[in-house]
Amino acid sequence: MKFSLSWLKQYLETDASLEDIALKLNAIGLEVEGIEDPAAKLAGFRVAKVLTADKHPQADKLQVLTVDTGEGVLQVVCGAPNARAGLVGVLGLAGATVPANGMVLKVAAVRGVESNGMMCSTRELELGEDHDGIIELPEDAPVGTPFADYHGADPVIEVAITPNRPDCMGVYGIARDLAAAGLGTLKPIEVLDIAGSFPCPVEVRTDDAEGCPAFYGRVIKGVKNGPSPQWLQDRLKAAGQRPISALVDATNYLMLAYGRPAHAYDLAKLSGAVVARRAKDGETVVALNEKTYTLDAEMTVIADDSGVHDIAGIMGGEHSGCGEETTDVLLEIAYFDPERIAKTGRKLNLTSDARSRFERGIDPNFLDTGLDHLTKLIQTLCGGEASQPVRSGAAPSTPKIVHFDPALTEKLGGVAIEPAEQQRILESLGFAVVGQEAGFDKAWAVTVPGWRPDVDGAPDIVEEVVRIHGLDKVASVALPRVDGVARPTATPTQALERRVRRAAAARGLHEAVTWSFLPSAEADAFAEGNGALWTLANPISEDMKVMRPSLLPGLLMAAKRNLDRGAASLRLFELGRRYLRGEGGASDERLALGFVLAGEKVARGWATGKAAMFDAYDAKAEVTALLAEAGAPVEKLQVMGEAGSQFHPGQSATLRLGPKNVLARFGMLHPAVAKQFDIEGPVAIAEIYLDAIPGKKGAPTFARTRYAPPALQAVTRDYAFLVPAELPAGDLVRMVAGADKVNIVSARLFDDFRGTGVPEGQKSLALEVTLQPLEKSYKEEDLKAISDKVTAAAAKLGAVLRG
């Protein structure tokens, strides 16, 4: 929200400086984003009079002027066609900066003639679009006066308005807040009663009581449209609005002054009754932005017998707007349902100043007042005779009453404020306060003004009181702390995230942080097995339309960008949430870790030869290590297939704890998916589902464990088994390790042989089994008994001990 200082002072009687106003705005929650001071921009420019104008000796289109600056006479070269002796204009002195282009003026020779500055046009000073000649001021303009003082240097303040403050979407609301904070006196809104001199010739009604509860209007005949006066144009420009015509500027002025949007129709372009109604599916309208919008039955429109003229509360239609030929106008001022306006704007992807106010909520009690003020302004600017107002429907008028105990301010706000001061603050903001007893030391009944739809309960009242009293007056108080050793503040999930993130970084993976939103095509590529996708109704862009079902698409897109920029080796990981649709469309966020290994695992070298690329076993090694760090029972995990269509079917697998609980999937990226992401070369990928890791049983304890090395030396035995070729080696290792849990402490695979001596359809797996005696050394019969258990366990998988 932007406004000029003079506009603010139209409603606020104050002697406060610009700096004091800015500080107070920040203090009461209206953050000042910037202050534009024209005086600083126009420094170095002054009112000057041309004494003589002679032809330049070296250029036909240039003149050499002698200019009276009030402090002496300077020579200036000028090419403006209207430069002449006796003209009073604006001279930019050496050292001044031209606002339009940032050029710093200096003394220089122009075609051999010295020039000591520049006579300026309105465009060069950003005061208009005229560039055909230099500025011509009245003859009595005081020569030598700084032009900023002569023109009127009106500072412009820009504040950020939060969505819960629709009352400050107008300058008057900002003035009200400043007055409540003690920075002046708020001037009351003038009470007008423009009855009208003839019945309104147009029927105005609402047929959509839900979307448009109230629709008011009146006709003004005999207006003369044209440019609005300079004071009005200056205020609109200060607010970032482009002046259009007196009729249009008047409606914009009402909106910016009081936060009350309105609209003016050219009466000659209307036919029949003007009605607020639901749109029909497929109806179209060409809006003021010259774009055509297709409507549906959930939208409210303003229409007549010929069709739709206005997307209600958002934007008017192009063909019914006011122009220079307009002589009769219909003024429309209405109350629209905020939720309906917001939904319509999102569907049409259409924003406007009117929408930003209606969807936040405007004052339903400002209809008649707003219509009268708009009527008076138009009659002042354009003349004309007003009809009697027409009112259809009624805006919500039941006041909201909040029961409030003034003691709650200290309890919630942390600052003690006298009840009388609280009452003053609330009443200065427009709240009506009624207490149960004199002195107001008990519960109050606070009536909320219509311009504050954001106030719902007692905590909101506390916020208003503390905000105006001064947030800087709230003492800083440390939170209470329990005596003794501080307890951990991280949740188990947060602790798991930290542990796994550090482990991944320690293993040489580089963390990436990608968007939680994806393009549709990339999200669809990883949708299989993850359920329905979450597609946003109002995305930031088409490239951020779907919430990610997996971390891998974002990582692959990041890998693609880095590979395109010459990266030879990539080890990227990300820890975050993936977003799935649960039963009934419920949202489901699941914690996961994904990583991508692309490019060279080992660079080429004299000892290794060619560069080695990543493979599925590299992905499995990382997955196993990270799962172990996360607390998963990796020794019990089963390697199974069905990693997903995104993985190479012969070079991928899943790690499961039981047949259904998938803890991770890993392997090589499918060539078709690699082509879709435009990635060349082999890429190993993996995704770990941290939410699927079972939690540890029992409460955490600080008990210390002591480990003493065994007194007896361990014994190792090697076994070679013939097994079916399709049997996963991990299944055999797990079966052997569990054959004798008392004596066998570990089992590992050290050879996988397929060739001469091994029957077709089989393979030879060699395992090293470590045995640990406890109380006494093994005897031969002990070792034979353990070996029998090992071979018997392996036989359950079809394994036969090789001779």
Side-chain angles (χ1 to χ4, degrees):
M1 179 72 189
K2 297 173 69 176
F3 54 91
S4 63
L5 181 61
S6 64
W7 199 353
L8 176 68
K9 290 187 175 182
Q10 179 182 340
Y11 309 121
L12 181 68
E13 187 175 338
T14 180
D15 295 327
S17 66
L18 178 63
E19 182 181 0
D20 291 338
I21 291 174
L23 290 174
K24 185 61 70 174
L25 286 170
N26 283 322
I28 60 178
L30 301 177
E31 181 184 358
V32 176
E33 293 192 314
I35 297 176
E36 182 180 340
D37 190 353
K41 186 170 66 174
L42 296 175
F45 296 88
R46 64 176 57 191
V47 177
K49 183 176 182 177
V50 179
L51 301 178
T52 64
D54 298 321
K55 184 179 177 181
H56 193 291
Q58 304 295 331
D60 293 338
K61 295 183 178 181
L62 297 179
Q63 297 186 76
V64 180
L65 312 180
T66 55
V67 182
D68 181 6
T69 66
E71 296 179 353
V73 178
L74 296 177
Q75 179 176 277
V76 177
V77 176
C78 180
N82 63 330
R84 64 188 185 276
L87 179 144
V88 180
V90 180
L91 173 66
L93 299 172
T97 301
V98 180
N101 54 26
M103 180 178 67
V104 179
L105 300 178
K106 59 184 178 180
V107 178
V110 180
R111 295 286 187 94
V113 177
E114 183 181 90
S115 181
N116 295 275
M118 181 178 73
M119 298 297 292
C120 302
S121 68
T122 56
R123 184 190 295 181
E124 288 163 340
L125 298 185
E126 295 185 336
L127 300 176
E129 295 301 320
D130 184 15
H131 194 58
D132 295 332
I134 57 178
I135 296 173
E136 295 191 35
L137 300 177
E139 293 183 2
D140 59 352
V143 175
T145 302
F147 181 65
D149 296 341
Y150 174 80
H151 181 264
D154 195 4
V156 175
I157 305 170
E158 183 175 4
V159 296
I161 307 299
T162 53
N164 67 319
R165 294 300 307 277
D167 58 307
C168 288
M169 295 295 283
V171 183
Y172 191 83
I174 295 173
R176 181 192 297 115
D177 264 22
L178 288 172
L183 212 64
T185 303
L186 182 69
K187 300 177 183 179
I189 299 175
E190 183 182 1
V191 177
L192 302 174
D193 186 11
I194 302 176
S197 57
F198 60 93
C200 182
V202 180
E203 180 185 1
V204 174
R205 72 174 190 271
T206 176
D207 291 346
D208 182 12
E210 181 182 348
C212 178
F215 188 21
Y216 292 8
R218 78 168 359 134
V219 166
I220 303 179
K221 290 185 176 182
V223 299
K224 184 178 180 180
N225 198 13
S228 53
Q230 191 62 45
W231 69 266
L232 179 52
Q233 292 191 34
D234 290 343
R235 290 191 175 178
L236 293 181
K237 289 177 183 177
Q241 293 278 345
R242 178 174 62 89
I244 298 173
S245 67
L247 290 172
V248 177
D249 293 350
T251 60
N252 286 334
Y253 182 82
L254 183 75
M255 175 184 67
L256 295 168
Y258 300 106
R260 155 44 75 182
H263 193 65
Y265 298 92
D266 188 332
L267 189 61
K269 299 176 182 178
L270 302 176
S271 60
V274 178
V275 184
R277 62 169 173 83
R278 292 286 184 97
K280 299 173 184 176
D281 287 328
E283 272 189 311
T284 60
V285 61
V286 181
L288 286 172
N289 61 2
E290 301 180 353
K291 294 182 180 180
T292 301
Y293 294 92
T294 302
L295 312 172
D296 63 40
E298 295 300 316
M299 302 175 183
T300 301
V301 297
I302 308 297
D304 64 3
D305 294 346
S306 63
V308 177
H309 287 287
D310 191 352
I311 305 172
I314 300 179
M315 188 171 289
E318 182 182 46
H319 58 281
S320 62
C322 298
E324 292 182 0
E325 72 286 351
T326 300
T327 57
D328 302 327
V329 295
L330 171 67
L331 304 185
E332 167 242 302
I333 191 163
Y335 181 85
F336 299 107
D337 176 58
E339 185 175 347
R340 178 77 59 82
I341 297 298
K343 288 182 178 179
T344 300
R346 285 197 297 268
K347 279 186 179 181
L348 299 179
N349 194 25
L350 179 59
T351 59
S352 68
D353 291 320
R355 173 192 166 184
S356 66
R357 287 161 173 81
F358 276 121
E359 69 183 358
R360 284 170 168 82
I362 62 173
D363 185 3
N365 302 314
F366 199 75
L367 291 169
D368 280 314
T369 305
L371 185 60
D372 286 340
H373 276 262
L374 181 58
T375 302
K376 180 181 178 181
L377 181 57
I378 289 177
Q379 287 182 314
T380 302
L381 300 177
C382 307
E385 184 180 3
S387 75
Q388 298 166 1
V390 177
R391 303 175 180 87
S392 178
S397 58
T398 303
K400 186 188 301 181
I401 298 177
V402 176
H403 294 286
F404 173 67
D405 184 351
L408 196 62
T409 300
E410 183 175 4
K411 181 178 180 181
L412 296 183
V415 58
I417 305 174
E418 289 295 326
E421 174 62 10
Q422 295 191 48
Q423 179 191 356
R424 185 204 66 79
I425 291 173
L426 292 174
E427 290 179 344
S428 64
L429 291 173
F431 294 82
V433 179
V434 178
Q436 293 181 347
E437 296 180 6
F440 298 98
D441 56 350
K442 298 290 183 180
W444 299 351
V446 179
T447 303
V448 180
W451 57 80
R452 293 304 302 270
D454 58 300
V455 176
D456 286 325
D460 296 325
I461 302 292
V462 171
E463 180 182 356
E464 291 304 298
V465 171
V466 175
R467 178 177 69 88
I468 298 299
H469 179 70
L471 292 173
D472 56 330
K473 298 178 182 178
V474 179
S476 298
V477 179
L479 293 174
R481 180 170 180 174
V482 179
D483 295 335
V485 179
R487 297 179 181 178
T489 57
T491 65
T493 301
Q494 290 171 331
L496 173 64
E497 290 183 35
R498 294 175 185 175
R499 196 164 61 246
V500 174
R501 179 178 282 111
R502 289 171 180 169
R507 294 187 61 81
L509 300 176
H510 300 282
E511 185 172 14
V513 179
T514 66
W515 291 105
S516 298
F517 308 99
L518 297 172
S520 298
E522 282 72 5
D524 289 337
F526 282 81
E528 179 187 347
N530 289 319
L533 296 175
W534 275 110
T535 302
L536 304 184
N538 186 30
I540 298 174
S541 68
E542 285 298 312
D543 289 339
M544 303 178 72
K545 191 174 184 177
V546 181
M547 299 194 75
R548 62 185 181 194
S550 165
L551 299 177
L552 295 176
L555 288 170
L556 289 172
M557 293 164 68
K560 157 70 177 170
R561 288 191 295 271
N562 283 273
L563 290 172
D564 287 348
R565 285 159 176 77
S569 179
L570 289 174
R571 303 165 184 255
L572 302 179
F573 84 94
E574 182 172 12
L575 193 152
R577 268 71 178 170
R578 54 196 186 105
Y579 303 90
L580 314 174
R581 278 186 183 269
E583 295 183 3
S587 61
D588 191 2
E589 299 183 18
R590 299 187 182 180
L591 182 64
L593 182 144
F595 64 78
V596 170
L597 308 176
E600 301 174 352
K601 176 175 66 174
V602 179
R604 64 181 181 175
W606 65 269
T608 57
K610 293 183 178 181
M613 311 302 283
F614 290 103
D615 57 27
Y617 292 106
D618 296 314
K620 182 184 178 183
E622 299 297 336
V623 167
T624 305
L626 293 175
L627 281 173
E629 187 64 31
V634 292
E635 69 282 354
K636 299 180 181 179
L637 296 181
Q638 298 173 273
V639 180
M640 302 177 68
E642 302 177 3
S645 61
Q646 306 87 8
F647 292 78
H648 196 297
Q651 303 176 38
S652 62
T654 61
L655 288 176
R656 307 190 182 204
L657 195 60
K660 294 184 178 180
N661 189 14
V662 179
L663 266 60
R665 56 178 182 161
F666 65 90
M668 302 305 294
L669 184 66
H670 195 287
V673 180
K675 183 178 180 180
Q676 179 180 346
F677 283 83
D678 195 20
I679 298 178
E680 297 181 359
V683 178
I685 60 175
E687 194 164 35
I688 301 173
Y689 306 129
L690 297 173
D691 61 301
I693 299 175
K696 294 182 179 180
K697 297 181 179 180
T701 177
F702 288 100
R704 296 181 179 179
T705 58
R706 295 184 179 181
Y707 176 77
L712 302 176
Q713 184 176 343
V715 178
T716 60
R717 287 289 185 269
D718 295 344
Y719 298 86
F721 295 98
L722 289 174
V723 299
E726 65 275 7
L727 178 70
D731 291 354
L732 180 63
V733 172
R734 191 164 40 254
M735 184 64 74
V736 169
D740 188 339
K741 296 182 178 179
V742 174
N743 293 289
I744 298 176
V745 293
S746 69
R748 71 178 186 89
L749 178 73
F750 69 87
D751 185 51
D752 182 336
F753 177 72
R754 312 173 197 211
T756 304
V758 176
E760 186 177 352
Q762 292 189 314
K763 59 184 176 182
S764 173
L765 299 179
L767 280 69
E768 179 186 81
V769 180
T770 302
L771 312 176
Q772 179 59 59
L774 299 177
E775 297 179 355
K776 59 181 180 178
S777 299
Y778 292 123
K779 295 181 179 179
E780 197 63 35
E781 56 267 25
D782 297 329
L783 295 174
K784 184 178 183 308
I786 296 172
S787 294
D788 291 342
K789 291 180 181 180
V790 169
T791 55
K796 295 179 182 179
L797 298 177
V800 177
L801 189 66
R802 295 185 64 182

